[in-house]
Each structure stands twice: as structure tokens, then as C-alpha cells.
Amino acid sequence: MNEREILSNYVYQIVSALVASGVEKVVISPGSRSTPLAYAFASTKELEMHRQVDERAAAFYALGLAKATAKPVVLLCTSGTAAANYYPAIVEAKYARVPLIILTADRPHELREVGAPQTINQVRLYGENVKWSAEFPIPDNAPQTLPFIERHTVRAVNIATTAPFGPVHLNIPFREPLMIDFKEELPKSSYIKSYTNELTPSKQAIAEFTHILERTTNGMIIIGELPLGTDTNHVWNFIREVKWPVMIESLSNLRTEVPEDCQVYAISTYDALMKNERFKQNVRPQTVIRFGAQPVSKFLMQFIVQANPQSYIIIDEDPMYRDSTHMSTHFIHALPGEWLSEIELQHSVAEIEYVQFWKMADLLASDVIEKYSDYADDEGAMVQSLLANFEEEADIFVSSSMPIRDIDTFLLSTNRSVQIFANRGANGIDGVTSTALGFSNGRKMRKTYLLIGDLAFLHDTNAFIASRYQNCDLTVIVMNNDGGGIFSYLPQSKVEAHYEDLFGTPTELTFEQVASMYNMEYEKANTKAELINTLATNKQASLKLIEVFTDREENVTQHRLLWTRINEVIEQWLDSL
């Protein structure tokens, strides 16, 4: 067998194992050393190939695909700093629990650490930011090689898609020549099937959990961003059984399509309510249960610390469960699944008055929030108007900093099918546009919008290169307040010295030319009325950029007035009791 045949068998064995393990999509960036695998992927009809020349953007694009489909996505790049450019998205995938299969082509061992071009130390390049890392052998004719790489490839997919989901890394060295013989059919896999366990609690854990539920008079549930693929019907069944107020974060996607019989438990204004000290004194819970990631609301998490509940139960699919408060008293290692629907309380002592108290406050706060855009024309009013005018079955991808906070404030409980997504693993503003583009290509049956600030948009304008290689359908709404709006709410804003230089960081840039460069339809808006008109315009291009010009100082003023109005209404209500 000649070298070309050996190399062909090697790369197609990897591809065959990926396909047999359920991989459907691959994102490729161009490069020489990755040629054998790139050819194998491109010639495999079972795979959907996506391309992006910028590796940093490519990795975030793959992240978006995986978030949209809840399935593993493969990334392939050449050797050297190309692999290093994957790092930010890999960090996000690790903390957001998104399954990525990272394949980095590498130089052979004899070219490492001797000054060869495009050669860096790629072995375990991503350290603890991947669930698993392995290096493959150089392609050869040894009988052990193909079975080894086949099972390691299967193992990689299994690890990436076992709770908690996450990225894995395979480093694959190749010697020249790099050409292969194309195969019309993948080699038959000698590996048949992987079976992994469903992650459910032990009988002892369920018994203790049920006992705590039955003896709790005042309990509350917090639901953050849930694991990919979660069946939320089981969560709603659990809520129906315990009948506790539920703090529902927008990223959980339980604020939308709320079942009618669960409306009384659904609380969406908790962040504003947590700014009122008297209210907090009245709702101190005996027990708190949290599903999913920690919520965006800092005030809610501070309340948990202040309340110091007798039981704070975290249900998480990772033994390294998330609890930055360090207040948890119980941890249940499980996914939110069918076992929740099977819980039955025999002797519940939950007080209906506690639920009613929470719900009345939520309704009062919601009423104030609903009237916000009647008088305000800042970013918050813009976001509220957008939420009211998005079509049914729209997906909103949201950047960190102010956009996600405005969504969390202004998205109230609703029966509409709008869903919210974001990169909240590491909470960065890098790669957001690329992730949204990948996400939109993974959810082609629904319309995707991206809500983003100007600095985050600038971080990732290379994202749109992807639109030159595959169809992309995305409407981008940039809130351009010429700088970092989130810092205006932090203590730094009270120190005038160096504030604009270090935190405000105005650029005086606008984005019409960016839209022109990528053949995007461009509109601009200065008021919410103009914004809604541009949103309603039938766009001719699949990519549309709406640039909304706002004022940072006005945003702060109006947001604080909103919180003051809510506080006043809650105070009046408490006085009347």
C-alpha cells in the first residue's frame, strides 16, 4: 500500500467514525496542513460543510451551529496560530456546555521545536478548557492505527455529548505529501454503537429532595439557561406539582409560551423587585431550587445570600456545579428530565399566600414596565418595541453587557414563541456575530435576529466573511451608543478622571460601510418609531443591518427612572397591606 492510500484510509476512517457517531456538520478554515481531512470532509455527502476563512470567527460560527442543533459540530484548521485562534470560542463552549469537536492539523514530530514554519506546540493546546484532548499517530500501515483512531474519534464525540456537554480536541499530525484519493463511500465502521446513561438522581436523592419539598412553606425556584436539548415539559410538570413562584430568566426560554395554568407561578420582574428592601424582607424563602446556569440578575443572587435559606438545592449535570454564592446546601447530579414529572408530593405545606404575594408584585412591576415605551425613547424602549414587533417563532441572539440585561428586563411572560439565546458561558462580547450567524444556519425554519452593541459588533465584523461561502439569513440590530454602555451603571462612571478613555471608549464609528462591504441591506434609526418601520420593511437581502443611534447618558437616566417608578409602586402596595 503506497503513502497516498495509507493517508486516504486514515482520514476517511476519522470521517466515517464522526458520521457514525451522529456528526452532521463541519466548519472548515483553509490551510495546507489540514488538506487531507479537508478533502475527506468536502467529498463526504453525509456531512454539511460550512466555511469561514477567519479561524476565530469560524470557531464561534461552529459554536452557534451546535447551540442551535444541540448536536456536536466539527471544527477543522491547519497548524500554527490558526489553532490558537479557536481559543476564545473553545472557552465559551466549555463554560456554556456546547459540544464541539476540534480537529487541529499539525506538523509531524520531527518538525516541532526546530524552527519549522507554522509550527507551535499544539499538544494539549487548550489545557483545561476542553473536556478531553488526544494526539493521533502519524498515518502509517500498522494494523493497530485505524482501529485506534476510529475508537478515539468515537470516544471524542461521546465525551463531547455526555453531560455536561463541552469541547474536545484531537491534534492530528501529517507528513507531506498531503494529497489523497477521493472515496465515493465511507469505509464501513468496525465500531457499532455507543450507549450512555441518562443522568437521573439516585432514589436516595429523590427521596431527600421530596422530603424537603413537602416540609417547605415558602419556597422559590430559579430557572437559568437550561442544558441543550432540555424537554421543558418536565420542568413545567414539576412547577405544577410544587406550586412555588418561579424566577424565570429570559435565556431559559420558559418566559415564552407559558402554559396558562402556570401563569400564576411565572415571575419575570424579579430583578427590579430585588431592588426594594421591604419587598425582599417579605419574601425570604425557606427553600430555593435552581435549575440551569446562574441567572443574569446580580440582584437575585445577592438576595439568595441575604436570605440565607435553610435549603438551597442546585440541580446540575456537572459535579462541578455552578454556585458563585457558596450558599448551596444540597446538590443533585442530574439533568432536568422525566424524573421531575414523576415527583409527587403527599403532604405539601406550601402557602398559597406566598405565591400570591410574589405574583401581585410581579403584575405591578410588569404594568410599569409595559408602559415604559409610552414615554421613553432610549435603548430600553427600543428593545421593548422590538420584542413587541418581532414575528411569531423568531429567535433573538443577544450580546452580553446591556443587550442581554435589557432583554431580561423587558421580556415579560408571554404566550408568544419568541426565544432568546446568548453566549453566557464566559459572558464575553467577542464572537457574538459569528455565533449568531452559525445559529441562524442551524435554525433555518425560524427567523433569527441579533441584538448587539457597537463595541461587540466591532469585535467581530469578520464574521460576515462566512456569508461569502454559504447562505446566511440574519437581521443585525446594532445599538450604537458610541462606547461601552454597561460601564455607565458601574461605580467607575462616578469617577470622571479617565472614565471615557478607559471605560466609555468612544470610537465615533458607524457601520454603513461595513454593510456595503458585505452586500447587506442597511437601515438606520434614531427613534423607536423609525426602528419599527425599518424592522417592518420587507428586506430584499438575506442579511440586513439596522443601526440604531442612542445616547449613553439618556439610557442610564431612563433606566433608573424605571427602577424608581417600580420601587414607588411596590412601596405604595406594601403600605396598603
Side-chain angles (χ1 to χ4, degrees), residues 225-474:
E225 185 176 12
L226 294 168
L228 295 177
T230 297
D231 184 345
T232 57
N233 288 321
H234 297 308
V235 180
W236 286 120
N237 287 339
F238 175 74
I239 292 167
R240 290 184 179 97
E241 182 68 17
V242 297
K243 298 178 174 59
W244 292 1
V246 188
M247 314 298 114
I248 305 177
E249 172 158 289
S250 56
L251 288 172
S252 71
N253 285 315
L254 291 180
R255 280 194 198 176
T256 57
E257 297 185 281
V258 180
E260 186 175 350
D261 63 334
C262 291
Q263 290 280 357
V264 66
Y265 311 116
I267 309 296
S268 57
T269 65
Y270 51 83
D271 184 74
L273 295 173
M274 291 295 99
K275 295 177 175 68
N276 185 288
E277 292 298 324
R278 285 178 67 194
F279 178 78
K280 289 193 292 185
Q281 290 294 328
N282 279 277
V283 293
R284 285 179 176 270
Q286 178 185 352
T287 299
V288 176
I289 301 168
R290 200 195 80 220
F291 297 97
Q294 295 186 132
V296 171
S297 174
K298 178 174 68 174
F299 291 98
L300 180 59
M301 301 317 293
Q302 288 175 340
F303 171 66
I304 300 301
V305 175
Q306 295 168 2
N308 192 21
Q310 294 177 23
S311 300
Y312 179 21
I313 305 165
I314 295 178
I315 298 168
D316 198 293
E317 70 272 25
D318 190 349
M320 289 290 292
Y321 61 92
R322 297 161 288 195
D323 177 25
S324 64
T325 68
H326 310 296
M327 297 296 294
S328 54
T329 61
H330 297 74
F331 163 64
I332 296 178
H333 188 206
L335 285 163
E338 187 174 355
W339 65 276
L340 286 170
S341 294
E342 296 172 353
I343 287 180
E344 295 182 359
L345 304 186
Q346 302 299 321
H347 307 288
S348 175
V349 294
E351 294 180 353
I352 187 64
E353 292 82 8
Y354 184 71
V355 178
Q356 292 171 339
F357 191 87
W358 264 106
K359 193 59 187 179
M360 179 55 69
D362 182 59
L363 292 172
L364 291 170
S366 295
D367 185 60
V368 177
I369 292 171
E370 285 173 348
K371 296 174 181 175
Y372 184 72
S373 60
D374 292 345
Y375 59 85
D377 208 10
D378 69 327
E379 284 184 20
M382 301 281 192
V383 170
Q384 187 173 51
S385 297
L386 285 170
L387 288 169
N389 286 275
F390 285 134
E391 64 264 44
E392 288 291 334
E393 298 191 350
D395 291 331
I396 321 300
F397 207 94
V398 188
S399 181
S400 291
S401 296
M402 282 310 298
I404 186 60
R405 286 168 173 80
D406 277 338
I407 287 288
D408 212 43
T409 297
F410 293 102
L411 178 65
L412 303 175
S413 297
T414 175
N415 288 322
R416 298 176 64 212
S417 184
V418 171
Q419 294 194 322
I420 310 298
F421 302 88
N423 285 346
R424 293 298 292 178
N427 299 352
I429 64 169
D430 50 344
V432 175
T433 304
S434 291
T435 312
L437 282 168
F439 184 90
S440 68
N441 260 331
R443 303 259 291 192
K444 293 178 181 178
M445 301 301 293
R446 293 170 63 95
K447 176 61 187 171
T448 302
Y449 295 85
L450 169 62
L451 179 64
I452 191 169
D454 54 298
L455 292 186
F457 185 77
L458 282 169
H459 263 273
D460 199 24
T461 53
N462 275 3
F464 297 108
I465 298 173
S467 68
R468 316 311 289 177
Y469 303 111
Q470 49 263 319
N471 292 328
C472 293
D473 190 344
L474 181 69

